């Protein structure tokens, strides 16, 4: 069997598949997230390893592929033991370091070297933060790894990283698919700290979004991947490297050799809905809330939601962005709040899709995954807001499934990622844009685009 292991933010998830792609076993082990200060997010890397060991003992694992949360910094000493808790992708402490990186290199040069701008979630700013705030840790660093690669090292003794995950460090030449000597020199990061880099199919590993895209069959032009998880993602394959001039979307290496992808990320997608339930309806079930939302007309009679609860990446790159309901009236009840959240997230995804279209992505269909994709109402709202049909696939474990396919590539079960996706990815339900909603959402999106500048100007 082929096993895909996904080192996520809340749990390690593993699945086992047969050579035809059918899932034959699943296992999951949760762990805690630490927030020692506002805006910080950390985890004990040992928790990942222990969780991975437990799930693998439940599965007859011979060939294992890895996916995992991107960007996280695991700083290791001479004995390969972590020197401090890992700093995660959603940690926001490095705004000053990001500004310093862009000042030192200039935004145009930074984008030319890496295809991206400096964002608080990326790995390089975390290293600079350590140097400034924990110099005793910095002096003891002998190597750095990303989360899934630390687990790989501890389980199998292999020190490696794939091009997809390396792309999110801001130390990688994405166009040339190699570590950037220019970036390591400019930032004063020793190049010998970085692990050997390989194509995803060669070492059976990829960052979670590239693995998830492979897991839903996004290997080239045609479909795009749309993820309705805690964060929201729009992911489209590129046949050649092409960065957005303002780096409003990420451009990374894909898990398919010699291809790239553009990716827009919003930080609070299904996380916005979770927040709303926790805040105003902690005793309600998801079915109850979604039924109330379904009874509200499209457009919520003018109510809009800005989903910037944890800052934002695409298209605003603003860790200080904040959410809001705008247009509330006495007519708006709990169902309207829920529907406004569903629509606001859909508009945020459209922001990313519009930017990707500027890079030449011409989607025919969206392959939707994540916990939010289980809602037929939300799928129809997103399809209508994007004016794009959406398809689910028959397996929900996108990242772990993609990792299992990569395990098959390394083992020789598949000739490569393209054959793996063609053999194993199967389409499930399809949601068409609702013709009665598309015009309403077109107008709503234009209003939504004006929200962020207005909210920014109203900050204290």
């Amino acid at each position: 069997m082929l096993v895909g292991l996904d080192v996520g933010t809340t749990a390690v998830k593993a699945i086992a598949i047969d050579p035809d792609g059918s899932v034959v076993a699943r296992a999951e082990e949760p762990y805690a997230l630490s927030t020692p200060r506002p805006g910080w997010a950390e985890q004990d890397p040992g928790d990942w390893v222990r969780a991975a060991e437990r799930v693998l003992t439940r599965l007859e694992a011979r060939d294992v592929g890895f996916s995992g949360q991107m960007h996280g910094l695991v700083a290791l000493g001479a004995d390969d033991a972590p020197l401090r808790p890992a700093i995660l992708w959603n940690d926001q402490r490095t705004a000053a370091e990001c500004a310093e990186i862009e000042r030192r290199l200039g935004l145009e040069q930074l984008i030319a070297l890496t295809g991206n701008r400096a964002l608080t979630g990326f790995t390089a700013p975390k290293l600079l933060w350590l140097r400034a705030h924990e110099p005793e840790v910095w002096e003891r660093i002998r190597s750095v790894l990303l989360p899934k690669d630390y687990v790989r090292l501890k389980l199998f003794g292999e020190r490696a990283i794939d091009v997809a995950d390396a792309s999110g460090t801001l130390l990688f030449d994405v166009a040339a698919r190699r570590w950037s000597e220019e970036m390591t020199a400019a930032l004063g990061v020793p190049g010998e700290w970085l692990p050997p880099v390989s194509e995803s199919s060669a070492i059976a590993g990829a960052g979670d979004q590239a693995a998830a895209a492979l897991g839903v069959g996004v290997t080239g032009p045609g479909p795009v991947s749309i993820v309705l998880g805690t964060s929201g993602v729009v992911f489209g394959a590129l046949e050649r490297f092409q960065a957005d001039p303002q780096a409003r979307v990420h451009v990374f290496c894909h898990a398919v050799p010699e291809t790239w992808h553009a990716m827009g990320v919003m930080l609070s997608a299904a996380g916005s809905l979770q927040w709303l339930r926790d805040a105003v309806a902690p005793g309600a079930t998801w079915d109850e809330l979604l039924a109330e939302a379904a009874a509200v007309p499209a457009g919520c009679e003018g109510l809009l939601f800005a989903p910037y609860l944890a800052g934002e990446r695409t298209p605003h790159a603003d860790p200080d962005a904040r959410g809001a309901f705008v247009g509330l009236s006495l007519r708006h009840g709990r169902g309207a709040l829920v529907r406004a959240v569903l629509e606001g997230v859909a508009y945020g995804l459209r922001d990313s899709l519009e930017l990707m279209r500027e890079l030449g992505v011409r989607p025919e269909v969206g392959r939707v995954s994540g916990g939010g994709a289980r809602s037929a109402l939300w799928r129809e709202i997103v399809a209508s807001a994007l004016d794009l049909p959406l398809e689910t696939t028959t397996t929900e474990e996108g990242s772990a499934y993609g990792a299992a396919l990569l395990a098959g590539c390394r083992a020789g079960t598949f000739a490569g990622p393209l054959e793996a996706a063609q053999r194993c990815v199967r389409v499930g339900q399809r949601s068409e844009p609702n013709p009665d909603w598309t015009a309403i959402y077109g107008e709503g999106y234009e209003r939504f685009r004006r929200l962020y500048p207005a909210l920014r100007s109203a900050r204290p």
Side-chain angles (χ1 to χ4, degrees):
M1 291 193 296
L2 306 172
V3 171
L5 188 79
D6 178 42
V7 183
T9 311
T10 60
V12 163
K13 299 177 182 179
I15 62 168
I17 68 172
D18 65 22
D20 292 322
S22 298
V23 177
V24 296
R26 295 176 171 86
E28 180 174 341
E29 280 286 334
Y31 35 69
L33 173 70
S34 172
T35 55
R37 295 187 186 180
W40 289 24
E42 299 182 346
Q43 278 175 331
D44 176 2
D47 287 346
W48 306 330
V49 176
R50 288 184 288 272
E53 290 173 336
R54 286 193 288 268
V55 299
L56 289 178
T57 59
R58 300 178 210 163
L59 306 176
E60 297 178 5
R62 183 183 69 183
D63 298 303
V64 179
F66 290 84
S67 71
Q69 51 174 299
M70 297 180 68
H71 314 306
L73 172 62
V74 186
L76 304 177
D79 57 355
D80 282 337
L83 298 172
R84 68 174 321 282
I87 305 176
L88 303 189
W89 63 274
N90 52 347
D91 189 285
Q92 299 287 344
R93 75 185 70 180
T94 62
E97 286 72 27
C98 290
E100 170 61 17
I101 290 171
E102 294 192 355
R103 184 202 62 78
R104 190 180 302 181
L105 284 114
L107 183 58
E108 184 176 347
Q109 176 69 357
L110 179 63
I111 295 172
L113 289 172
T114 69
N116 298 279
R117 66 179 306 160
L119 298 176
T120 52
F122 285 5
T123 316
K126 297 177 172 66
L127 281 166
L128 270 58
W129 185 92
L130 279 184
R131 184 165 59 195
H133 296 276
E134 297 181 3
E136 71 286 355
V137 172
W138 172 270
E139 292 297 330
R140 295 168 58 200
I141 296 175
R142 294 298 176 268
S143 64
V144 297
L145 288 173
L146 272 64
K148 75 176 191 329
D149 301 314
Y150 176 73
V151 175
R152 184 207 310 271
L153 175 67
K154 290 303 177 181
L155 293 185
F156 299 110
E158 183 180 12
R159 191 185 306 272
I161 192 172
D162 60 279
V163 293
D165 225 356
S167 296
T169 63
L170 211 67
L171 297 169
F172 197 67
D173 184 334
V174 176
R177 306 172 87 87
R178 60 171 176 80
W179 293 115
S180 170
E181 296 178 359
E182 295 89 345
M183 285 300 300
T184 54
L187 302 184
V189 174
E192 59 268 22
W193 287 2
L194 304 175
V197 64
S198 300
E199 293 291 337
S200 295
S201 53
I203 60 170
D208 55 2
Q209 295 304 327
L214 175 62
V216 296
V218 178
T219 58
V224 293
S225 170
I226 296 172
V227 180
L228 279 171
T230 301
S231 58
V233 177
V234 180
F235 178 117
L238 302 171
E239 293 183 302
R240 61 184 179 87
F241 174 80
Q242 182 179 355
D244 176 60
Q246 301 174 55
R248 294 166 295 178
V249 293
H250 309 326
V251 177
F252 292 163
C253 298
H254 197 357
V256 180
E258 300 306 319
T259 65
W260 292 260
H261 71 262
M263 180 172 69
V265 179
M266 58 184 300
L267 296 181
S268 298
S272 292
L273 190 60
Q274 180 72 55
W275 162 80
L276 182 68
R277 187 176 79 161
D278 292 346
V280 305
T285 68
W286 292 118
D287 287 343
E288 290 170 342
L289 293 177
L290 292 167
E292 292 175 15
V296 176
C300 292
E301 297 181 319
L303 179 60
L304 284 174
F305 174 70
Y308 310 131
L309 300 176
E312 192 54 293
R313 280 202 195 174
T314 306
H316 305 301
D318 183 357
D320 297 318
R322 291 296 177 261
F325 285 102
V326 176
L328 277 169
S329 75
L330 293 173
R331 286 179 54 80
H332 291 122
R334 189 171 72 175
L337 295 178
V338 175
R339 185 160 189 135
V341 168
L342 303 182
E343 293 177 350
V345 170
Y347 293 144
L349 294 171
R350 181 166 170 177
D351 272 341
S352 292
L353 185 61
E354 294 298 329
L355 292 173
M356 291 169 59
R357 283 176 168 141
E358 293 180 15
L359 295 179
V361 175
R362 297 289 180 264
E364 300 167 358
V365 68
R367 297 277 174 80
V368 62
S369 61
R374 296 171 189 154
S375 165
L377 173 64
W378 209 352
R379 294 198 306 270
E380 187 177 10
I381 288 172
V382 173
S384 303
L386 303 184
D387 198 12
L388 185 72
L390 298 184
E391 297 173 340
T392 63
T393 55
T394 54
T395 58
E396 294 184 349
E397 301 90 348
S399 297
Y401 195 75
L405 297 184
L406 289 170
C409 295
R410 185 176 187 179
T413 305
F414 312 120
L418 292 176
E419 182 194 329
Q422 290 167 356
R423 270 177 60 177
C424 298
V425 176
R426 300 173 182 91
V427 172
Q429 297 174 310
R430 183 178 174 100
S431 300
E432 298 288 346
N434 186 322
D436 295 329
W437 295 356
T438 51
I440 294 171
Y441 288 150
E443 295 172 2
Y445 177 63
E446 292 306 314
R447 292 180 57 227
F448 175 85
R449 292 182 62 192
R450 298 195 292 271
L451 270 187
Y452 172 77
L455 294 170
R456 184 183 177 104
S457 69
R459 286 182 192 169

